[in-house]
Every structure is written in structure tokens, then in C-alpha cells.
Amino acid sequence: MSAQPGHASLFDFVEHGLLRALDAALAEHLAATASPAQRLAIALTSWQAGRGHTCLPLAALAQDPTQLLGWHEIETRPARTEAPARLLVLVQVLELADLQADGHYIGTGPGGSPLVLERGRLYLRRAWQDECDIAATLQARMAASPLIAPARVRAALDAVFPADGAASDLQPNPQPDWQRVACALAARGRFAVITGGPGTGKTTTVARLLRLLHKLEGDALSIALAAPTGKAANRLGASLAQALAGLPDFDAAALPRAQTLHRLLGMRPQGAGGNDRVEPLPYSLLVVDEASMVDQAMMARLCRALRPDARLVLLGDKDQLASVEAGAVLGELCARAQAAPYGEACREWLAAASGEALPAPAIDARTLDEHVAMLRTSHRFDAARGIGRLASALRSGEDAAIEASFATDANTQLSRSRIDAADFRALDALIAHAAAPGERAGYGSYLRLLAAGPGADFAHWTAELLRAFDRFRLLTALRGGDFGVAGLNARAEQVLARVGLLAPEGLWYPGRPVMVTRNDPGLNLSNGDIGIVVTDPQGRRRVCFNTGEGVRSVSPALLGEVETAFALTVHKSQGSEFEHTALVLPETQTLPLARELAYTAVTRSREHFSLFAPDPLTALCGLQPTEREGLLGLRLQAD
């Protein structure tokens, strides 16, 4: 693109670090003959999509472009920071506030234009269509409620909940049994969201929901279980199988295997094209776990693939990190979940079906709200102390409560340590620590088991080895640098070698933890699966993975894209839990730390959480929630 007088070219934006080369190339491809403003509009909308937003709000762009576009976070190249050039860029961006639909490059609805302008927001057409498809699909499902008489649900619900959990008579109750309410709400219609923090019983609730629907529908019930990642799918399947095992009214052996959404939808590898199903999925019930990780494009594919009469149940923690790709679907669906704003008719139905009296909400009810249930009681954490208290403080953003969490914990569940580039001693000591169960774990425990060898039972030894490794994990917000994944993995190898627990010679050394970074259907391994390199009784190197159906060993020669996994990004840790996690934060944040990232890191811990940072408390105080631009919530909340 050649620059016109008074306009910087898209190449200039890329050189400044204000656009990706991908954004500029997309604009040139879609609108080679458009005006500079229209091409810039496409490129900036694509830039925002790369930052997680589904659209570009023009009014906010005019008000503060550097803040909206995240340019204040970018260190530009010294040679390109002349004031006149930067001012020229900003003037050109501000001109976009006056963009109007032209029917060719910018449309206002269905059509072939690369951009869609709606309610002062610019969308790339595919993102706009995805948002509209999700809204239309969910609205159609919500319109069908209620599907069943509450008396039938009540009779079946009392049978699947323990006797002491059933409500015999309606009594005003400030703390309803939200698991019962969630099951009734999911049975009521064809769409439901069950949200809640770690340990609030989401999987237990779904196990009871499966029994409930089996009692109501019998053999007509056909189930699919899915999650965004292989690790999350394995955990969902294993948890449900355990919860349903031995029950007389449900054959746990007939429970379908949980699978990734990619596999459920028959999606081809990235870049192969043709990813949308033609035939509807054959199931009458689809349960999707870890829904906070599902981006808008994937949710749209899922909605297009469902049978019109199928039930869709989404599970997830609304306070966790949003998806890596654009969109924050679960967050928008659950924006009002805390208030439980059910209308009078809905409350009456739920009371009759669940036996739980729900208080009148303080805000007006809307249709979407009546399809969302929030579980509130954690059975993993004490909300008044330690991890539970810190997680609550991070959710609310109360700095005083964050400080009080550490101050009053007496170091039983929480610890904080100062580190900097010259002093990693506290972190090094933890990495090499070998602890008994219930104590703060490090990597010493699994490496001592590795050194002891397999004995007579190789399969049992590898299973124990994987369990021991999963007691502890290093987490970080970054990929690169000494405080990122690359630096921490190298540091862990050095520390463990120095104390004689590891001999990191060659690529496939015994004890090396590796994470699969690309789905491998041939090996039935998914992106995010973690294994450990061992030497088998025949002297061969193998990589052992826990697939949810027992341990499998794979020859390293068969593995494709993997990386060392002593340390993970917080994003990669979603869907996992460990006895002890340690979050390591850098001396300077290249990107601001999001409140959801800190919350997700803390809640990966079952028993202990350690924070390592140059100024630990300051690192967690003043965090802001991530806000992603989009209209999905408004489309669904409009009554």
C-alpha cells in the first residue's frame, strides 16, 4: 500500500509495532482498491481480534485510541518513535470514527462486505456472523422452556440427590441448594449454563443431571461429553465415571468417552479449511466442560452443529481466563449470574421442581438469566481462609482483602517470596523440594520416585510417577525471558541437576516432563497433554502419559511437537489442578497482569499457593478485569 499525503501506510503501522503483518496482509487481500481509511479499519479490526476482541468500537477509538488498541503497552522501535510520525498515525486512526457503511467494503448486515458496522462497532464479517449465529441458536433454545412439568422433575430429582439433601417442604432459605436448582434448571429447557469456582461441585452436579435426565427420558437420552482440550476432556470423563460408578440407576460403563471439541466436530487440522459440520450431531444432550476456554468461533461451530431439539449444557468458571482466541462467551453469558435474577414464573417453576425457595432478585429478570445457575459453596476451599479467601479477594478486586489473605493465613496455604534477576534462592529451594503428601511440594518427590526405579510393576510405577509430578507446578504469565516458560524450564533443569536429582543430558533424558503442543490423532494425544520420559525394563526410552484410561507409553521417535513442561503458562494450566502451584511474576510486566490470570493461577492449587515476585503483594493489588468488546451479551439479554 502506497502512502497518500497525510496518511501513514499499513507498512508504517507494522514497523511501529502497531499492527501485525497478518493484519496488514488481510486488509490488502480483502480491500485492495478501498480507501486508506477502509483498509486501516480492516487491519485494526483484525488487530483487535488478535487481542481477543470480536469488534472495534468507533466511539471508544475516537476517545482514546492508544488505550483501546493497547498501543500504550508497546515498546516501539527507537528509530520509529519520531513525534510527527506517531501523531500522523493517531490522526489517521481518529478519522475512522467518521466511517459509514458503503454497502461494498462496509455493510450493515448480511452480505459480502469484509466489514460489518453495527451499533457503532466494526466487525470482520465472519466474527459478526459467528456472534449472530450463537445468539440465534441460544435464543431458539431458550424460547422452548419449560419443556417438562415441574412435578415430574421433582420426583426424579429427589431420587438422585441424597436423602438429606432433598427439600421436603418449601421453607424460606437464604442458602438454597444450588446444585438441585442447577439440575432443575438444566432439565427445564434446551440450554443451560452451570458456573461456579473450583470445588463448587460442577462435575458432581452434571453427574446428577445425567441421572435425572436418564430417569426422565430413558433410552431416548443420547449423551456427548466434550471440552476444549484433551486434558480437560480426560478429567471430565474420569470425574463423571467416578461419580456415577456403582449407582443402580445409571450404567457408568455406558457413559460415552469425553472428547475434544475439535474431535466432536470433526474439525481438520488448523489451516486445512472446511471445519463446519454438514450433518447435525446425533446427540440429544451435549455437555461442554471448561467453557471459559471456548472462543466465539468455536462456540459458533458448535451451535451450528447441534440438533434443534438437543440440550446444550455449558460448565465453567466465569471468573477464569477467557479463551486465547477472540471472544469471552462464558463471561458474557454469566455477566449477571451472581444476582440470580429469575423472574416470578421461573422461580415458581424452579421451586416446584427443586423444592428450593429462591429469593426475589434485586434486579429485573431477563430471559438469558433464567438459563444460568451459579454454584456458590466450595467444598475444596474454606472461603474464610487461605486459597479460598485469596480467590474471593481476587474476584472482587479488593486490595485490602488480598493483603489480609496473606497476613492472616499464617503460612499454612499461602506463601510469598521476593525474587529478582540476581536472587532466585527461594524459588530454587522450592523447585528441588521433596515433600510428604500434605506438605508444600516441589519436583523432588517425583524425581526420588524416578531414581528408585520401577521394581516389578512398571505400569504401577509410571502411574505413581505421573501422580507425583502432578503434585506441583510452576506457573508464569509469560512465554519468554528468565521469568517466562523458557527461562523457568531451563532454571528447573539446572537446579535439579545441581542437587543430583536430574541428569539433563540429551533431548530425551529420564525424568524430562514434556507437553504436547499440537493435537496428534494418530497417537490419541491432544494439545496440552503432559508425559514424563522414563527408561522401561528393556532399557528403552519411553514417554508415559495418563490418558484418563490408564497410562500409555509412547516412543519419543513418534512424538511430534513437544516442549519441556516444568513450567507452564497460566493459560496452559486451565483445566488442571495441583496440590501446590507457584506463580512466578517478572520484575517488569511487559503486559499488564489481568485479574483473571491471577485468579486462575491461585485456583489451580488444592492445598498450597506460592507467589514469587519482586514485590509480591503489589503484583496482585490493583489488577483490572479483562474486558473484551462484543455484543453477544446484549443480543441475548434483549427481551
Side-chain angles (χ1 to χ4, degrees):
M1 172 180 170
S2 60
Q4 296 187 8
H7 283 84
S9 72
L10 293 184
F11 174 77
D12 289 329
F13 281 75
V14 175
E15 284 294 295
H16 276 285
L18 306 178
L19 284 177
R20 301 170 299 175
L22 169 67
D23 307 320
L26 179 67
E28 291 288 354
H29 173 70
L30 294 178
T33 62
S35 70
Q38 289 171 327
R39 277 179 288 199
L40 180 58
I42 294 173
L44 288 179
T45 307
S46 174
W47 164 264
Q48 286 294 83
R51 299 179 63 238
H53 304 284
T54 58
C55 61
L56 177 68
L58 296 181
L61 182 71
Q63 183 177 3
D64 190 347
T66 59
Q67 179 71 33
L68 178 74
L69 298 168
W71 288 353
H72 62 295
E73 302 165 2
I74 297 170
E75 294 181 3
T76 56
R77 299 181 183 183
R80 304 292 298 179
T81 57
E82 300 90 342
R86 294 299 303 272
L87 288 173
L88 185 62
V89 165
L90 292 179
V91 168
Q92 187 172 346
V93 169
L94 291 175
E95 290 178 3
L96 298 186
D98 297 324
L99 277 178
Q100 301 293 323
D102 65 357
H104 184 62
Y105 291 111
I106 304 176
T108 57
S113 61
L115 288 175
V116 178
L117 178 61
E118 182 180 352
R119 304 188 216 189
R121 292 167 171 83
L122 281 175
Y123 286 83
L124 294 176
R125 175 158 294 280
R126 182 59 186 262
W128 177 84
Q129 192 62 61
D130 285 344
E131 191 174 279
C132 291
D133 287 354
I134 295 171
T137 299
L138 299 186
Q139 284 167 337
R141 279 176 164 69
M142 291 188 293
S145 301
L147 293 175
I148 190 168
R152 285 192 63 212
V153 176
R154 176 63 183 275
L157 196 59
D158 283 348
V160 301
F161 270 76
D164 59 357
S168 57
D169 296 298
L170 275 180
Q171 297 291 337
N173 187 352
Q175 294 295 329
D177 185 338
W178 287 104
Q179 291 191 16
R180 286 178 66 90
V181 173
C183 283
L185 184 141
R188 180 173 178 263
R190 294 197 176 104
F191 171 63
V193 180
I194 301 175
T195 188
T200 52
K202 294 185 293 294
T203 306
T204 301
T205 302
V206 169
R208 288 169 171 168
L209 175 63
L210 296 182
R211 295 171 62 198
L212 172 68
L213 293 178
H214 184 262
K215 286 181 174 295
L216 295 171
E217 299 184 12
D219 293 339
L221 180 67
S222 55
I223 302 167
L225 307 172
T229 67
K231 180 183 285 286
N234 288 339
R235 284 192 62 218
L236 173 65
S239 298
L240 285 176
Q242 181 178 6
L244 294 166
L247 294 174
D249 57 352
F250 196 95
D251 182 7
L255 191 71
R257 180 179 180 181
Q259 55 190 314
T260 64
L261 288 171
H262 282 81
R263 184 166 298 173
L264 174 76
L265 297 173
M267 293 174 65
R268 301 174 187 175
Q270 188 174 7
N275 282 337
D276 279 347
R277 289 181 60 91
V278 176
E279 295 297 323
L281 293 168
Y283 311 105
S284 64
L285 170 66
L286 171 60
V287 176
V288 179
D289 197 13
E290 297 292 347
S292 63
M293 300 166 64
V294 181
D295 60 79
Q296 179 172 284
M298 177 64 80
M299 187 63 72
R301 290 188 177 100
L302 187 64
C303 286
R304 289 191 283 263
L306 289 172
R307 277 170 29 184
D309 62 338
R311 276 189 172 89
L312 172 63
V313 177
L314 303 179
L315 306 178
D317 185 345
K318 66 180 181 64
D319 297 306
Q320 275 192 191
L321 280 165
S323 58
V324 175
E325 303 297 330
V329 176
L330 187 71
E332 292 195 71
L333 296 178
C334 298
R336 290 156 48 102
Q338 182 72 42
Y342 304 141
E344 183 177 356
C346 180
R347 291 200 312 276
E348 290 177 355
W349 191 97
L350 288 173
S354 69
E356 298 292 326
L358 302 177
I363 57 177
D364 292 340
R366 297 175 180 171
T367 301
L368 173 60
D369 303 328
E370 297 180 347
H371 294 263
V372 179
M374 180 175 170
L375 308 180
R376 298 148 195 268
T377 303
S378 176
H379 304 283
R380 184 185 307 170
F381 308 129
D382 181 346
R385 61 180 291 269
I387 293 170
R389 183 172 181 179
L390 179 58
S392 178
L394 286 168
R395 277 198 304 268
S396 64
E398 298 177 20
D399 291 349
I402 291 172
E403 295 185 20
S405 297
F406 284 96
T408 60
D409 182 65
N411 209 35
T412 58
Q413 286 193 327
L414 305 176
S415 66
R416 62 186 189 274
S417 301
R418 293 181 181 273
I419 59 169
D420 56 42
D423 188 355
F424 275 81
R425 286 175 296 178
L427 180 61
D428 292 350
L430 178 59
I431 288 172
H433 187 55
E439 300 176 4
R440 295 185 189 279
Y443 288 130
S445 299
Y446 96 92
L447 289 172
R448 291 185 186 281
L449 185 60
L450 178 78
D457 192 338
F458 179 73
H460 176 76
W461 175 71
T462 54
E464 288 296 312
L465 191 67
L466 287 163
R467 275 193 289 271
F469 178 71
D470 272 347
R471 290 186 60 199
F472 174 71
R473 197 71 83 247
L474 290 173
L475 301 181
T476 173
L478 305 174
R479 290 284 305 168
D482 291 343
F483 292 81
V485 168
L488 290 175
N489 276 321
R491 184 163 203 90
E493 287 182 332
Q494 295 165 5
V495 168
L496 295 170
R498 188 166 62 238
V499 298
L501 290 172
L502 200 66
E505 299 173 359
L507 184 62
W508 299 104
Y509 59 84
R512 180 193 178 199
V514 296
M515 180 175 63
V516 176
T517 58
R518 186 179 181 88
N519 292 338
D520 190 334
L523 294 176
N524 195 27
L525 293 174
S526 301
N527 184 358
D529 285 349
I530 291 179
I532 296 177
V533 180
V534 301
T535 303
D536 71 8
Q538 288 74 43
R540 302 170 301 182
R541 293 289 163 83
R542 308 289 289 180
V543 185
C544 295
F545 295 88
N546 190 339
T547 64
E549 298 179 345
V551 176
R552 263 189 327 115
S553 67
V554 177
S555 168
L558 298 178
L559 292 175
E561 299 179 28
V562 300
E563 61 185 37
T564 303
F566 287 109
L568 303 177
T569 62
V570 178
H571 274 94
K572 282 291 188 182
S573 75
Q574 289 191 97
S576 301
E577 61 179 53
F578 312 98
E579 281 184 27
H580 185 185
T581 59
L583 176 63
V584 181
L585 298 177
E587 291 181 286
T588 57
Q589 280 292 135
T590 304
L591 296 175
L593 185 66
R595 187 186 297 172
E596 294 86 353
L597 186 141
Y599 169 84
T600 301
V602 168
T603 55
R604 297 313 87 203
S605 310
R606 288 194 302 271
E607 297 178 12
H608 305 292
F609 171 76
S610 298
L611 175 64
F612 293 88
D615 190 345
L617 282 182
T618 300
L620 292 188
C621 292
L623 300 182
Q624 298 300 311
T626 300
E627 295 183 1
R628 291 191 167 182
E629 294 291 342
L631 291 174
L632 177 61
L634 288 176
R635 295 183 198 279
L636 289 169
Q637 289 287 10
D639 288 337

